[in-house]
mmCIF file of all heavy atoms in Angstrom:
data_model
loop_
_atom_site.group_PDB
_atom_site.id
_atom_site.type_symbol
_atom_site.label_atom_id
_atom_site.label_comp_id
_atom_site.label_asym_id
_atom_site.label_seq_id
_atom_site.Cartn_x
_atom_site.Cartn_y
_atom_site.Cartn_z
ATOM 1 N N ALA A 990 39.995 43.583 37.487
ATOM 2 C CA ALA A 990 39.096 42.754 38.265
ATOM 3 C C ALA A 990 39.875 41.862 39.233
ATOM 4 O O ALA A 990 39.402 41.598 40.328
ATOM 5 C CB ALA A 990 38.234 41.911 37.354
ATOM 6 N N GLU A 991 41.067 41.430 38.844
ATOM 7 C CA GLU A 991 41.855 40.567 39.728
ATOM 8 C C GLU A 991 42.247 41.317 41.004
ATOM 9 O O GLU A 991 42.275 40.736 42.081
ATOM 10 C CB GLU A 991 43.082 40.021 39.006
ATOM 11 C CG GLU A 991 43.801 38.946 39.780
ATOM 12 C CD GLU A 991 42.895 37.792 40.229
ATOM 13 O OE1 GLU A 991 42.022 37.365 39.459
ATOM 14 O OE2 GLU A 991 43.066 37.331 41.375
ATOM 15 N N ARG A 992 42.543 42.599 40.886
ATOM 16 C CA ARG A 992 42.869 43.390 42.093
ATOM 17 C C ARG A 992 41.665 43.476 43.013
ATOM 18 O O ARG A 992 41.801 43.397 44.225
ATOM 19 C CB ARG A 992 43.350 44.778 41.704
ATOM 20 C CG ARG A 992 44.742 44.751 41.081
ATOM 21 C CD ARG A 992 45.247 46.116 40.818
ATOM 22 N NE ARG A 992 45.540 46.766 42.103
ATOM 23 C CZ ARG A 992 46.056 47.958 42.220
ATOM 24 N NH1 ARG A 992 46.327 48.663 41.145
ATOM 25 N NH2 ARG A 992 46.296 48.483 43.396
ATOM 26 N N LEU A 993 40.475 43.643 42.455
ATOM 27 C CA LEU A 993 39.269 43.668 43.275
ATOM 28 C C LEU A 993 39.056 42.320 43.943
ATOM 29 O O LEU A 993 38.758 42.233 45.130
ATOM 30 C CB LEU A 993 38.048 44.022 42.424
ATOM 31 C CG LEU A 993 37.980 45.429 41.855
ATOM 32 C CD1 LEU A 993 36.798 45.567 40.917
ATOM 33 C CD2 LEU A 993 37.918 46.457 42.962
ATOM 34 N N ARG A 994 39.220 41.262 43.176
ATOM 35 C CA ARG A 994 39.032 39.907 43.702
ATOM 36 C C ARG A 994 40.022 39.624 44.821
ATOM 37 O O ARG A 994 39.664 39.102 45.866
ATOM 38 C CB ARG A 994 39.188 38.895 42.567
ATOM 39 C CG ARG A 994 38.797 37.491 42.944
ATOM 40 C CD ARG A 994 38.814 36.538 41.753
ATOM 41 N NE ARG A 994 37.683 36.820 40.884
ATOM 42 C CZ ARG A 994 37.785 37.235 39.620
ATOM 43 N NH1 ARG A 994 38.951 37.423 39.073
ATOM 44 N NH2 ARG A 994 36.716 37.468 38.905
ATOM 45 N N SER A 995 41.280 39.991 44.620
ATOM 46 C CA SER A 995 42.293 39.711 45.641
ATOM 47 C C SER A 995 42.075 40.549 46.893
ATOM 48 O O SER A 995 42.530 40.188 47.968
ATOM 49 C CB SER A 995 43.697 39.941 45.081
ATOM 50 O OG SER A 995 43.939 41.310 44.884
ATOM 51 N N ALA A 996 41.361 41.674 46.782
ATOM 52 C CA ALA A 996 41.062 42.516 47.940
ATOM 53 C C ALA A 996 39.770 42.093 48.632
ATOM 54 O O ALA A 996 39.290 42.783 49.517
ATOM 55 C CB ALA A 996 40.971 43.976 47.510
ATOM 56 N N ALA A 997 39.203 40.955 48.218
ATOM 57 C CA ALA A 997 37.975 40.410 48.803
ATOM 58 C C ALA A 997 36.767 41.309 48.546
ATOM 59 O O ALA A 997 35.829 41.327 49.333
ATOM 60 C CB ALA A 997 38.150 40.132 50.289
ATOM 61 N N VAL A 998 36.793 42.048 47.453
ATOM 62 C CA VAL A 998 35.650 42.883 47.085
ATOM 63 C C VAL A 998 34.595 41.984 46.458
ATOM 64 O O VAL A 998 34.892 41.218 45.540
ATOM 65 C CB VAL A 998 36.068 44.000 46.105
ATOM 66 C CG1 VAL A 998 34.853 44.734 45.556
ATOM 67 C CG2 VAL A 998 37.026 44.949 46.779
ATOM 68 N N LEU A 1033 30.922 40.811 41.858
ATOM 69 C CA LEU A 1033 32.166 40.303 41.304
ATOM 70 C C LEU A 1033 32.170 38.788 41.448
ATOM 71 O O LEU A 1033 31.895 38.264 42.531
ATOM 72 C CB LEU A 1033 33.363 40.904 42.053
ATOM 73 C CG LEU A 1033 34.742 40.510 41.560
ATOM 74 C CD1 LEU A 1033 34.991 41.079 40.159
ATOM 75 C CD2 LEU A 1033 35.801 41.021 42.512
ATOM 76 N N ARG A 1037 37.819 36.643 46.654
ATOM 77 C CA ARG A 1037 38.533 35.900 47.675
ATOM 78 C C ARG A 1037 37.895 36.210 49.027
ATOM 79 O O ARG A 1037 37.316 37.279 49.214
ATOM 80 C CB ARG A 1037 40.001 36.282 47.668
ATOM 81 C CG ARG A 1037 40.663 35.806 46.362
ATOM 82 C CD ARG A 1037 42.032 36.320 46.223
ATOM 83 N NE ARG A 1037 42.952 35.479 46.985
ATOM 84 C CZ ARG A 1037 44.251 35.707 47.039
ATOM 85 N NH1 ARG A 1037 44.769 36.739 46.426
ATOM 86 N NH2 ARG A 1037 45.037 34.916 47.722
ATOM 87 N N ARG A 1076 42.124 40.427 54.879
ATOM 88 C CA ARG A 1076 42.325 41.313 53.736
ATOM 89 C C ARG A 1076 41.796 42.715 54.014
ATOM 90 O O ARG A 1076 40.831 43.172 53.414
ATOM 91 C CB ARG A 1076 41.718 40.696 52.490
ATOM 92 C CG ARG A 1076 42.520 39.502 52.029
ATOM 93 C CD ARG A 1076 42.086 38.933 50.699
ATOM 94 N NE ARG A 1076 43.018 37.912 50.293
ATOM 95 C CZ ARG A 1076 42.951 36.637 50.672
ATOM 96 N NH1 ARG A 1076 41.987 36.237 51.462
ATOM 97 N NH2 ARG A 1076 43.851 35.771 50.261
ATOM 98 N N ARG A 1100 49.971 43.996 51.081
ATOM 99 C CA ARG A 1100 49.117 45.011 51.701
ATOM 100 C C ARG A 1100 48.166 44.516 52.792
ATOM 101 O O ARG A 1100 47.432 45.309 53.368
ATOM 102 C CB ARG A 1100 48.319 45.733 50.623
ATOM 103 C CG ARG A 1100 47.418 44.845 49.814
ATOM 104 C CD ARG A 1100 46.758 45.650 48.679
ATOM 105 N NE ARG A 1100 46.401 44.794 47.582
ATOM 106 C CZ ARG A 1100 47.146 44.607 46.511
ATOM 107 N NH1 ARG A 1100 48.286 45.220 46.392
ATOM 108 N NH2 ARG A 1100 46.765 43.814 45.546
ATOM 109 N N TYR A 1101 48.165 43.229 53.107
ATOM 110 C CA TYR A 1101 47.199 42.711 54.064
ATOM 111 C C TYR A 1101 47.862 42.227 55.345
ATOM 112 O O TYR A 1101 49.019 41.833 55.356
ATOM 113 C CB TYR A 1101 46.376 41.572 53.444
ATOM 114 C CG TYR A 1101 45.720 41.965 52.164
ATOM 115 C CD1 TYR A 1101 45.954 41.272 50.988
ATOM 116 C CD2 TYR A 1101 44.872 43.071 52.108
ATOM 117 C CE1 TYR A 1101 45.358 41.652 49.800
ATOM 118 C CE2 TYR A 1101 44.284 43.460 50.918
ATOM 119 C CZ TYR A 1101 44.528 42.741 49.772
ATOM 120 O OH TYR A 1101 43.947 43.119 48.599
#
Side-chain angles (χ1 to χ4, degrees):
E991 190 53 40
R992 288 185 70 177
L993 293 174
R994 189 174 287 117
S995 71
V998 171
L1033 182 67
R1037 293 172 82 180
R1076 289 187 173 85
R1100 60 185 154 264
Y1101 306 122

